Amino acid sequence: MTRVALRGIRSHLGRFLLSVLAVLLGVAFVAGTFSLRSMMSSTFSDIVESSLTGDAYLRGSEVAAGAAPMGPGAEVAGDRNRIPLSLVQDVADVDGVETVIPDLTGPAVLVGADGTAVAGGGGAPSFAIGLHPDEPAAIVVQGRAPSGPTEIALESASLRASGLALGDTTTVVVAGALVEVEVVGEVAFGAPVAGATIVFLDVATATTAYAPDGRVATIAVYASEGLDETEVVERLTAALPGGSSVEAATGAALRAETQEQIQSALGFVSTFLLVFAGISLFVGAFIISNTFQMLVRQRQREFAMLRAIGASPRQVFTSILVQAGVVGVLGSVLGVGAGVGLVAALRVVFAQMGMELSGRIPLDGYTVLVSVVTGTVVSLVAAAVPSRRAALTPPVEAMRDDVVVHDRASTLRAALGGVLVAGGLAAVGMAVADRVDERGTVLGLGAAAVVLGVLLLAPTVVPAALGVLAAPAVALLRPLGGLARGNVTRNPKRTASTAGALMIGMALVGAASVLAASTEASTRSIVDEEATADYLLQSATGQVPGGLAQEVADLPGVQRADALHFSVVLVGEDQVLALGVDPAIFGTSLEINVVDGSLDRLAQGELAVQKAEAESRGWVVGDTVDLRGSEGRRTATIGVVVDSRALGVPLILPDEVFTAVVAAPDAAIDSVFVVAAPGTDLETLREDLTAAARPYVVVSVMDAEQFADRIADQVNQILVILYALLGLSIVIAVLGIVNTLALSIAERTREIGLLRAVGLGRTQLASVVTIESVLTAVFGTVLGVVVGAGLASTLPTVFADEGLSVLVVPWTQLGVFLGLAVLVGGVAAVWPAIRAARMDVLEAVSYE
Amino acid sequence: MPETAADPTAGPIASARDLVKIYGKGETAVRALDGISVDFGRGDLTAIMGPSGSGKSTLMHCMAGLDTPTSGTVVVDGDDVGRMKQSQLTRLRRTRLGFVFQAFNLIPTLTAEENITLPLDIARRPVDRDWFDTVVDAVGLRDRLDHRPSELSGGQQQRVACARALASRPAVVFADEPTGNLDSRSSGEVLGFLRRSVDELGQSVVMVTHDPTAASYAHRVLFLADGRLVAELADPTSESVLDALRDLGAGRAERDAPPVAVGRRVSR
Ligand SMILES: Nc1ncnc2c1ncn2[C@@H]1O[C@H](COP(=O)(O)OP(=O)(O)OP(=O)(O)O)[C@@H](O)[C@H]1O
Ligand SMILES: [Mg+2]
């Protein structure tokens, strides 16, 4: 029987190649995701390995909080107290210690040759490092190390990206101040740095900038050759002054901790990508199962013959499964290759965007194993159902001349689908009506159930739905429309699964577009309601330089310039984002809703808490909160509970409290609100502000409208990435349509011959195939968009508290998707249509 | 070479000259048609008989432009089929030819009625309701028009196919064993209809059959053997056809082993 099975593959090679292609695509996506993920994490690991080369580190022993500004060094100690620089001297004399290098790192902006800020892709950080002469990770490859406040060196990739050359003068923004500097050297800094822009300063300059209070986050210790890291730590610990809130840790421990932090930060990205891989595999499974269903159907007679000459159902079943196994393994192996190719292409794209990822594409055994096993198992499972049916067909049945079997959608499947849709909708309804606690989770589960249910129900609705969709074609293109309708409705299950693949992608696209439009509209309405300042300054790097904030405050015509400082503080053991504001900001630059208490209390050193945070912690006005940060601790009373979306941060502290808790280097200025003095010409003020901000390159001056635009832009950027990923799953779906069409045409060969014999022209035949394809694509898209957009429409009700207050359904965009479906259908039909039209009439008629 | 008694006022509706069709090459080459010249009369019902493999289907395919002859010419309704391009052939099939195959004649997704009017729909020509009714009643399918092929018996399917071939009132209908799967009663109905369509409505029909009774409905019977026209019979009866077959069978038996099975009549 195995021989029969393998011979079967050989003689139906063309058809098998299509199913191999289906497996290949699904697996390529999975393998691509896995290897992209390991490439990203290995890129970051490389950075950690090459930037944390010390044998031991000194760091704060108290877990405090502080914003973790950018830079690999700073990540290490982001949530600990800072330690005094004087420790460098204390440990330098410890036996075996060769070099001691304090971490002098902080955010910086580099102005490139074109006058704009040098910025890597994907929001890669831009920071400066004090270049210690003994720093082992950094090697001056050209020119010399910087010395004095007016010289810098640049990391090799940053130098290339900036377009600057040695000897050029440019501007940098360091610690919020503008400095004219000369580029004097190029420094190689370990592994590829993933698009980060790195500026090297001399140690004294960096110390003034990033350790103005004489404290740093960590101090790296390099010991002499052959000394064990633990030994170094023991000696350091002995040398540390008592009661100083400092501890020593081994380099290995620190690297491991950092890796872990990076992994968990990347976890979101990984999950995101894995979800897409899952979706694509799910989509791929549809195609595979479709393909096998058709293959089995076509060869029904062959199986019946085998049964007639005495093969048992089990043998027939096995012989098909063997074929599925071969297809699965072959497709999976090729898919792994294709996935690697995909990642290689992506890497080129990332590199173009200024984000260099590690040089090798990691293809570990795990990735290969998971991909191949998934592909094979999915193939086997997908083939099992049709195989079973083939095996159980009575020999006579399949010996019939007319092989077209009408495939009725199974009642069980429809019932299950109905239950899932009903249950899902009920869950969604409960979440919308706020009858449940975990609204988000219930909504998610409900949505998943609806999608799954619709997939199951699809075959049942195919005849009716396609009858409606096809009506225009049937009426306008007689008899082609009718023929096409007949073809897509004759096997509802097949049409449904072909469309299902597209439906999933389109549902996500539809949901994303509703979400994006609603987010944008919500943001605009929030900005309109709350931000009453005339102008707003924000930086592309996320931090407005302190120097600029000062300058702006001193400009003529400026009544108020409120800098919003932000940082992470510790409440108990939890890290919470906090804003530091001048209490007078309320009523002048900002209008926010007070739920309870009074904003006046902020002036008395009390703090404001967002409604959601207060609810989740059970806080009420009058409670006290214990706050800790890199500067110290403070117990403050809650003076007011507010509901503000413009300040989307849980805690709002008066400046006085904020500075007592957060050390100055850890506080970043998120934005500066500017209110004009009465009688000032707003246009003139804007010009003045723009002139002040221009040298800082990264800062833009916006009015409320522009601010909203900018947020909308950010949303759109995320959307583009999302669309690109979904685009891939749609490509798979399109190939699925091609696959289904090609196979169903092969299956209908005699029928096509007959149609041609009674006078159907080639173009007409091609049109029939195209209409079929378009109908399938439109069906999938309509179903997907309706489900996706419909479900997403409930988000604003459920997540109103998170700032999603307005529902906008982007009808035009949804219309465009529908147009896209027609296009997709047309494109998918090209090859199958040509194949059908090329068939020889007589050969087709007498086709077995 | 038998001479055709064609209507002198109109000339033949279809004719072949020195038609040769060779399948394959070299050793395995098969001369399915070996120099056939024949005229099919306008307004005639012509039957073609002959043993299995004698080239009947091949002749029909070549006449209908479904297959290209190796050499020789085919003229249908005054036009040289051999000179036609694909698109012209398509148009010819659509409007001036009707074809009934041995089996699998219908589109499974269309109802009987839609199958019958399919060539007209393809050609975007209006359906002549009177003619349609005549045809449908003649094949006795009035109550089956809404059924799909899978809901029809083999004989019913074949009758739908005949009705389809006639629906567009083509110049000539080529039918390859149209009654091969029918019982004698429905086969009689179909053949009676074909004959009436010729006698009363001026259609021209060429059909292949193995059944002497079916052949007796024809104006003329042509006998094929080994790709050659070997005999002809005008105004046949079942008996004269049987006699002719017996004569031919005897002549053939000397060269070939088993005698030709005369009837492949299928009765249920
Ligand atoms: N596509 C083909 N390739 C090769 N040989 C063919 C092909 N079609 C027909 N033949 C051969 O041509 C000869 C005539 O075949 P044809 O189908 O015309 O016979 P027929 O008279 O219609 O027979 P039957 O009564 O069984 O239908 C046969 O010997 C057949 O084997
Ligand atoms: Mg034949």
Side-chain angles (χ1 to χ4, degrees), chain A residues 64-156:
Chain A
M70 298 88 188
E75 275 160 18
V76 176
D79 50 4
R80 287 171 182 267
N81 63 308
R82 294 167 73 86
I83 55 173
L85 261 175
S86 58
L87 285 170
V88 173
Q89 275 74 51
D90 294 345
V91 298
D93 301 330
V94 171
D95 185 32
V97 168
E98 298 260 294
T99 317
V100 184
I101 304 175
D103 168 45
L104 295 165
T105 305
V109 176
L110 170 68
V111 179
D114 59 357
T116 64
V118 181
S126 174
F127 56 91
I129 301 177
L131 182 57
H132 197 279
D134 299 325
E135 170 74 56
I139 300 151
V140 178
V141 289
Q142 222 195 115
R144 58 186 170 77
S147 99
T150 58
E151 288 184 2
I152 60 165
L154 292 175
E155 187 271 330
S156 301

Side-chain angles (χ1 to χ4, degrees), chain B residues 115-127:
Chain B
N115 264 294
I116 294 172
T117 58
L118 185 62
L120 291 170
D121 285 341
I122 291 173
R124 279 180 230 268
R125 280 186 2 196
V127 178

Side-chain angles (χ1 to χ4, degrees), chain A residues 401-402 404 406 476 478-479 483 486-487 490 750-751 754-762 764 841-842 845, chain B residues 23 61 66-67 86 90 93-94 101 103-110 118-119 121-122 124 148 150 164:
Chain A
D401 196 36
D402 181 4
V404 179
H406 279 268
L476 293 174
R478 265 174 69 84
L483 285 170
N487 292 337
R490 78 166 79 179
R750 290 178 73 175
E751 205 180 309
L754 184 72
L755 279 170
R756 298 268 289 119
V758 298
L760 195 73
R762 288 189 167 173
Q764 286 177 310
V841 181
L842 203 57
V845 170
Chain B
Y23 286 112
H61 293 155
L66 289 171
D67 208 350
Q86 267 297 331
T90 301
R93 288 202 288 268
R94 196 185 280 173
F101 293 100
F104 195 79
N105 266 298
L106 306 179
I107 302 300
T109 55
L110 301 182
L118 185 62
D121 285 341
I122 291 173
R124 279 180 230 268
R148 292 185 191 262
S150 57
R164 185 193 55 211

